[in-house]
Amino acid sequence: MTTSDLAPIEASVARAPRRGGRPPSGRRPRVRLAPYLFAGPAVVLYVVFMLIPVLYAIYLSLRAYRLQAGGTFGRRVEVFVGLENYVGVLSDPELLASFGRLAVYGFIAVPLTLGLALLFALLLDVPAVRAKRFSRTAIFIPYAVPGVVAALMWGFMYLPSTSPFSYLTEQAGWGPIPFLTGPGLFGSLANIAIWGGVGFNMIIIYTSLRGIPDELFEAARLDGANELQIALRIKVPLVGPAILLTTVFALIGTLQLYGEPMTLKPMTNDISQTWAPLMTIYRDAFLTDNLPAAAASSTILALGTVVLSLIILGIVNRKRFGARS
Amino acid sequence: MTATGVRAPLSATGRPAGRPAWRTILPTVILVIGAIYCLIPVIWVFIASTKSRGELFTTFSFAPGTGLFGNLADLFAYGGGQFGLWAANSVLYAGVGGVLSTLVSAGAGYALAKFDFRGRDLIFYSILAGVLIPGITLAVPQYLLLSQLGLAGGPLSVLLPSIISPFGIYLSRVFAASAIPQEILEAGRIDGASEWRIFRLVVLPIMLPGMVTVFLLQFVGIWNNFLLPFVMLSNQGDYPLTVGLYTLLAKGSGAPALYSLAIIGAAVSIIPLICLVLFLQRFWRLDLISGGLKG
């Protein structure tokens, strides 16, 4: 569906969602209740499971437990503390370090996932290429594998005692490859994300490529352009919106990193309990019982995701409008 | 598969003669390398699942072992049949959650695309904002909220939050806007059909291809989810496969015997989903996603 009415995602992102209900245009005065009934379940679920949790997290993040002196035993009471939790969380070296690790991981995983997805999509779209069906299916298969299971499978392929790669290097006398220690860990974790993400993104970009009318390429071919030039000059710019969308999804996915390091954790000492931000949040919420701190970190993480997505969408919008004018 | 290392005669490539063969071979080779990269862990886990406990750590990774049936028996006997329970839970959460989510999304998408009503823009833009909020950062506040309601801990605490999918609503709206002709709705109204009847008999059949896509995305998304059930569930018997396999592995660091269980469990758990995705691949309308952003 190449509906161009989907500019709203961009519009909505460019302009904050501030417009309230506008008066019905009166085109169909007969229908009043029906749309509310159709949209009702979604709205109720949205409010209960997204809006209220977000507001509740923000509320919690502004409060803290205090021991109230007085009497023989101190009483634990909840009080309003303003932004204190945010200050605490943002100056927590462990959380900051986990954001640092996440950034390193993201800088490896996101460009490689999207770069490979774009490369494979373009190759699939080259008329002369063979074994397309096989390759497309094989590259898409990891989409069906949960991140935790992917981490489990790769984990065993990293673990020196079961790794086929380390087996080969050991036979060659070089010793095992340090997949799970030191800087190698970043690459190993990123590899799991790349493996799991390339196929789905490839299909999105490829479907978008298939939507481009053939005449565009025919004209270029007649003019003597080769496939590489066609790919770089015509195809890549035209699938820009799909690349943008996949970038945003890849970024959101990166910030949610949790299951993979959790799964690898039993296999290595180099993954601490606070390796990724969400692991720190989980620890605060459930192990050390510091809900306000967990709520503050959750809010920061969610806000960071939204802001990053808006920046990307905004940059691309500006570029596009700049090119148009 | 066919043309890789072989220098295929140019005529066989179906291209005009005179072009160098590497233009076919090089891209094909790169693509096939990508395919092999994606298949290696899957092949590895299937081979490793045939190894007995001793073979796992002693024989070369890609050499098949002799313990497949022993491993399978161990897997399904573990904890009094917990693995089967986890699999059933995954099917329940992803199946029921996916179907409900698809219906809710279809109704909302239809309303947003085909009706003018007060509050429509507010709803639409709120839902769009929801697309950008990572579902996982909601898990902790959702848990706190559900535990206030006394729902946390049970299967409903995983099922209910899975039903709302901003992205599914968004896709349904795209599909409804482009696929449902306004005239058909007007015709139904003139004939005196109720809005519900029009939705059920006219709109839903038209939206079916879009709904299959939304269902698959939701099904796979719920099936693959780890943090939400991990946070919510307190009872091992309610775990889905992801959380169950994780606990196997986490315990395995103390008892390597569980490693072979985790491996055979991983192998068995990915078979149905790979089959489902491969089978339903042709019904996907992923152009919905990519086309949706064409500006």
Side-chain angles (χ1 to χ4, degrees), chain A residues 220-234:
Chain A
R221 279 188 196 117
L222 284 178
D223 288 346
N226 62 36
E227 289 298 328
L228 185 65
Q229 287 169 324
I230 292 177
L232 293 179
R233 301 258 175 86
I234 303 180

Side-chain angles (χ1 to χ4, degrees), chain B:
Chain B
M1 285 183 299
T2 43
T4 36
V6 196
R7 180 171 276 276
L10 278 180
S11 57
T13 63
R15 315 173 70 255
R19 298 245 194 119
W22 62 265
R23 286 200 180 168
T24 297
I25 294 173
L26 184 68
T28 306
V29 167
I30 298 174
L31 209 51
V32 170
I33 290 174
I36 292 170
Y37 161 70
C38 287
L39 288 179
I40 278 182
V42 178
I43 295 169
W44 181 86
V45 84
F46 285 131
I47 292 176
S49 66
T50 66
K51 294 185 186 200
S52 68
R53 230 165 273 166
E55 290 166 335
L56 183 62
F57 296 102
T58 51
T59 56
F60 174 61
S61 286
F62 285 102
T66 56
L68 176 63
F69 295 105
N71 288 338
L72 276 175
D74 286 351
L75 178 68
F76 285 98
Y78 173 77
Q82 273 189 339
F83 182 80
L85 211 55
W86 296 337
N89 289 333
S90 277
V91 172
L92 175 82
Y93 297 142
V96 176
V99 168
L100 291 177
S101 176
T102 307
L103 291 174
V104 166
S105 302
Y110 169 57
L112 290 170
K114 286 291 165 189
F115 290 88
D116 269 330
F117 57 99
R118 191 179 285 273
R120 184 183 71 170
D121 288 354
L122 178 68
I123 294 174
F124 180 63
Y125 289 121
S126 307
I127 282 167
L128 267 186
V131 173
L132 297 181
I133 293 180
I136 271 182
T137 54
L138 289 170
V140 172
Q142 276 170 349
Y143 172 81
L144 300 174
L145 204 73
L146 284 172
S147 56
Q148 300 265 320
L149 298 172
L151 281 175
L156 274 183
S157 61
V158 174
L159 203 53
L160 290 178
S162 306
I163 298 173
I164 181 71
S165 161
F167 191 56
I169 296 172
Y170 170 74
L171 287 183
S172 303
R173 183 192 167 277
V174 175
F175 195 79
S178 63
I180 304 169
Q182 193 67 41
E183 303 79 58
I184 248 184
L185 303 178
E186 300 300 351
R189 283 176 193 137
I190 288 165
D191 288 348
S194 70
E195 288 295 332
W196 172 245
R197 206 177 146 78
I198 293 173
F199 179 67
R200 211 162 39 95
L201 297 179
V202 178
V203 171
L204 279 186
I206 298 177
M207 286 184 72
L208 201 62
M211 288 167 68
V212 171
T213 307
V214 172
F215 172 76
L216 274 173
L217 286 169
Q218 268 307 93
F219 185 94
V220 174
I222 300 172
W223 184 282
N224 290 357
N225 199 343
F226 172 72
L227 185 61
L228 183 73
F230 186 61
V231 165
M232 291 288 180
L233 299 173
S234 47
N235 180 358
Q236 287 223 344
D238 291 330
Y239 284 173
L241 280 168
T242 47
V243 181
L245 287 174
Y246 165 76
T247 55
L248 265 187
L249 190 68
K251 282 183 204 149
S253 53
L258 291 180
Y259 275 176
S260 12
L261 277 191
I263 289 172
I264 180 96
V268 172
S269 75
I270 60 177
I271 294 174
L273 210 61
I274 288 179
C275 293
L276 180 82
V277 166
L278 291 186
F279 172 68
L280 289 176
Q281 215 180 359
R282 74 193 70 187
F283 301 114
W284 279 53
R285 296 292 308 270
L286 283 167
D287 51 334
L288 271 183
I289 303 175
S290 47
L293 265 162
K294 237 167 235 173

Side-chain angles (χ1 to χ4, degrees), chain A residues 95-222:
Chain A
L95 189 74
L96 292 182
S98 70
F99 273 108
R101 285 187 286 263
L102 191 66
V104 175
Y105 159 85
F107 273 115
I108 307 174
V110 175
L112 275 173
T113 305
L114 296 176
L116 285 174
L118 178 63
L119 173 70
F120 292 147
L122 288 171
L123 290 177
L124 279 179
D125 204 43
V126 173
V129 166
R130 312 269 108 190
K132 276 184 195 171
R133 232 181 112 82
F134 163 74
S135 303
R136 197 183 67 194
T137 308
I139 296 172
F140 188 62
I141 277 182
Y143 172 67
V145 178
V148 169
V149 176
L152 193 153
M153 300 192 313
W154 279 107
F156 281 110
M157 299 182 70
Y158 295 151
L159 203 63
S161 56
T162 50
S163 168
F165 311 113
S166 289
Y167 179 89
L168 294 179
T169 54
E170 271 174 34
Q171 293 293 307
W174 301 324
I177 307 168
F179 285 117
L180 292 171
T181 48
L185 189 57
F186 289 102
S188 301
L189 272 168
N191 175 55
I192 299 174
I194 295 165
W195 181 78
V198 163
F200 186 70
N201 291 311
M202 170 192 79
I203 295 286
I204 291 186
I205 298 171
Y206 178 64
T207 346
S208 178
L209 277 172
R210 304 289 295 167
I212 302 172
D214 273 340
E215 299 87 66
L216 277 175
F217 312 136
E218 293 307 326
R221 279 188 196 117
L222 284 178

